Amino acid sequence: MNKTHTLVSNTSLQHIRWLTYMMFFMFAMTSDAVGMIIPELIKEFNLTMTQASAFHYAPMALIAFSGLFLGFLADSFGRKQTIMLGLFIFSISCFLFAISSSFIIFVLLLCLIGLAIGLFKTGALALLGDISHSNNDHTKTMNKVEGFFGIGAIVGPALVSFLLTQQVSWTYLYIIAGVMCLILVVLAWRAEYPPVVKTTAKPTSLATTMRMVKNPYALGFSLAIALYVATEVAIYVWMPTLLADYTGSWTLMATYALTIFFILRAAGRFIAVWLLNRFSWQSVMVWLSLGIALCYVGTLIGGVNAAVLLLPLSGLFMSMVYPTLNSKGISCFAVQQHGAVAGVILFFTALSAALAPLFMGMISDLFGHVKYGFILATGFAVLLFLAMLYNYFKDPSADALQQIGTQQR
């Protein structure tokens, strides 16, 4: 194999890993807190659920755009430069929340944040390939990264809850994230990245990304991830609204349902390394996707009384699915293409994250209650299980993963 990067010191690699962990932590603080913010927006601006869901689907749409049309920059412009550009735009956009008070302006700022996330996330995902020694190492590292994302997803909603109980505006969440991001810009600037060595192959470009959309491995993993994301965003966008009027015997559970979901999801991602050392990733995906589907079907049958227990529990089953599928999808390609394929996968990830809760909101408005939106989410969960069942028996990516793994040795 022709190496795509030169080695840097172990200390530098460790710094890069922690920088990547903190980027995902910060991203999760803002993105996964939206479920706590939407009820406040509905009250503050007198919005419908469909209108309020723009707070989620607008940035996700820009992440999708950025991933597809700008993902190649991580390969051609450089990992470090792409990451720094994304972090800088993210930080400035967050600070502008301090001087804004209009819902439309908030949505526009979130669009800029989505564009920025698409940049630094594709750069970071491509970078993971540079510092991983094998496909399995890449998958384990991806689960660790998403573990820190999971921690950020706990901190963000908890911080919003604290701000609201202190009668402080939720916009301070973004100001805090902006300060953190500015620190990460400085750390990224000072970090020593493994430089990508130019090869005789044509430079990665937008045309490369467009061709990759047609690749069966990129498309297959992207569609599987899109199904997973549709089931996940249903929880953190609409579960707080579903449980808002709960009056049963599990009121404390309902109050902290989203926090419990994020805790279980984060814990599961750190357990992932243990699972991957003992079982095949294909079999693990089948059992976890089955657990997700059963939680949704149980909610559909048992209503809100079942949802208060089953939907937070689904976080434990969701923990490994996204990072594992993401890693395997990227690992089907050579390292010098990781930025482009990460952009393609991110496009489908963000598109699903944008459209699924929007459609749930529209269905909920049409029938008069958010519970009807969860019927759609149940359908996504069942389709995900069927896709993982197919992957287990047919294992369509085995040849590509084996070929790239052999080249890496």
Side-chain angles (χ1 to χ4, degrees):
M1 175 187 180
N2 294 324
K3 290 186 178 180
T4 58
H5 65 273
T6 56
L7 295 176
V8 296
S9 68
N10 289 333
T11 301
S12 296
L13 289 177
Q14 194 67 14
H15 288 166
I16 289 172
R17 288 179 187 273
W18 277 102
L19 177 62
T20 305
Y21 296 155
M22 295 311 298
M23 280 192 286
F24 277 71
F25 173 89
M26 176 201 64
F27 164 36
M29 275 182 58
T30 55
S31 66
D32 284 21
V34 70
M36 302 294 295
I37 296 173
I38 283 178
E40 297 301 314
L41 293 172
I42 292 174
K43 290 187 293 184
E44 185 176 347
F45 296 102
N46 194 28
L47 304 173
T48 66
M49 285 185 283
T50 302
Q51 291 170 331
S53 65
F55 219 69
H56 177 76
Y57 71 71
M60 289 300 164
L62 267 293
I63 293 175
F65 171 88
S66 183
L68 186 62
F69 293 102
L70 301 177
F72 71 93
L73 291 177
D75 296 323
S76 59
F77 187 46
R79 320 301 202 211
K80 181 174 184 176
Q81 293 84 349
T82 304
I83 289 172
M84 286 187 61
L85 177 62
L87 289 174
F88 182 75
I89 296 173
F90 187 101
S91 182
I92 295 300
S93 302
C94 284
F95 287 134
L96 289 176
F97 271 84
I99 58 173
S100 305
S101 58
S102 164
F103 177 72
I104 298 298
I105 298 299
F106 287 150
V107 172
L108 290 175
L109 290 177
L110 285 172
C111 287
L112 284 176
I113 286 176
L115 187 72
I117 290 170
L119 286 168
F120 74 69
K121 189 172 181 180
T122 51
L125 291 176
L127 185 62
L128 292 183
D130 297 345
I131 62 178
S132 299
H133 304 296
S134 66
N135 290 338
N136 287 335
D137 182 44
H138 189 276
T139 302
K140 293 172 186 176
T141 302
M142 188 75 78
N143 274 279
K144 288 180 184 178
V145 168
E146 292 293 338
F148 280 88
F149 182 95
I151 296 174
I154 298 168
V155 172
L159 183 55
V160 171
S161 296
F162 175 77
L163 292 173
L164 295 177
T165 57
Q166 300 300 310
Q167 297 186 340
V168 177
S169 173
W170 53 264
T171 58
Y172 278 87
L173 169 72
Y174 292 92
I175 298 169
I176 293 169
V179 173
M180 290 179 59
C181 190
L182 201 58
I183 295 171
L184 292 179
V185 171
V186 176
L187 294 177
W189 172 62
R190 297 185 62 184
E192 180 188 1
Y193 285 68
V196 177
V197 176
K198 294 181 179 180
T199 67
T200 57
K202 292 177 65 176
T204 304
S205 63
L206 179 58
T208 308
T209 304
M210 293 298 101
R211 287 194 298 271
M212 196 168 286
V213 173
K214 302 176 184 178
N215 184 284
Y217 299 117
L219 185 60
F221 277 103
S222 294
L223 293 177
I225 288 172
L227 286 173
Y228 164 76
V229 170
T231 65
E232 183 190 56
V233 296
I235 302 292
Y236 67 80
V237 173
W238 291 120
M239 184 176 68
T241 306
L242 177 67
L243 301 180
D245 299 326
Y246 175 79
T247 56
S249 56
W250 298 92
T251 52
L252 189 63
M253 182 77 173
T255 302
Y256 295 100
L258 190 60
T259 300
I260 294 169
F261 168 80
F262 286 137
I263 289 174
L264 291 176
R265 192 183 65 172
R269 282 174 175 168
F270 287 108
I271 297 171
V273 177
W274 180 86
L275 283 174
L276 289 170
N277 283 332
R278 287 160 177 80
F279 307 99
S280 72
W281 71 272
Q282 296 93 335
S283 63
V284 172
M285 291 298 99
V286 169
W287 288 109
L288 292 181
S289 61
L290 176 60
I292 296 169
L294 290 176
C295 286
Y296 270 96
V297 171
T299 294
L300 205 61
I301 296 172
V304 69
N305 290 319
V308 73
L309 298 174
L310 291 178
L311 292 184
L313 176 63
S314 70
L316 186 61
F317 302 118
M318 290 185 185
S319 57
M320 271 187 63
V321 178
Y322 175 76
T324 301
L325 292 179
N326 199 11
S327 170
K328 297 304 179 184
I330 293 173
S331 296
C332 286
F333 297 85
V335 173
Q336 58 267 29
Q337 296 177 303
H338 280 192
V341 69
V344 171
I345 293 175
L346 183 59
F347 168 78
F348 284 94
T349 299
L351 188 65
S352 177
L355 295 180
L358 172 61
F359 291 152
M360 287 182 66
M362 293 171 65
I363 291 172
S364 300
D365 282 333
L366 180 64
F367 291 99
H369 198 281
V370 70
K371 66 182 181 182
Y372 295 101
F374 276 88
I375 297 175
L376 179 63
T378 302
F380 291 137
V382 172
L383 287 175
L384 174 65
F385 168 66
L386 294 176
M388 294 301 96
L389 204 60
Y390 173 83
N391 179 69
Y392 176 75
F393 286 109
K394 297 294 185 180
D395 199 8
S397 62
D399 291 341
L401 291 171
Q402 184 177 6
Q403 181 180 356
I404 296 298
T406 300
Q407 292 175 357
Q408 288 179 332
R409 287 196 287 269

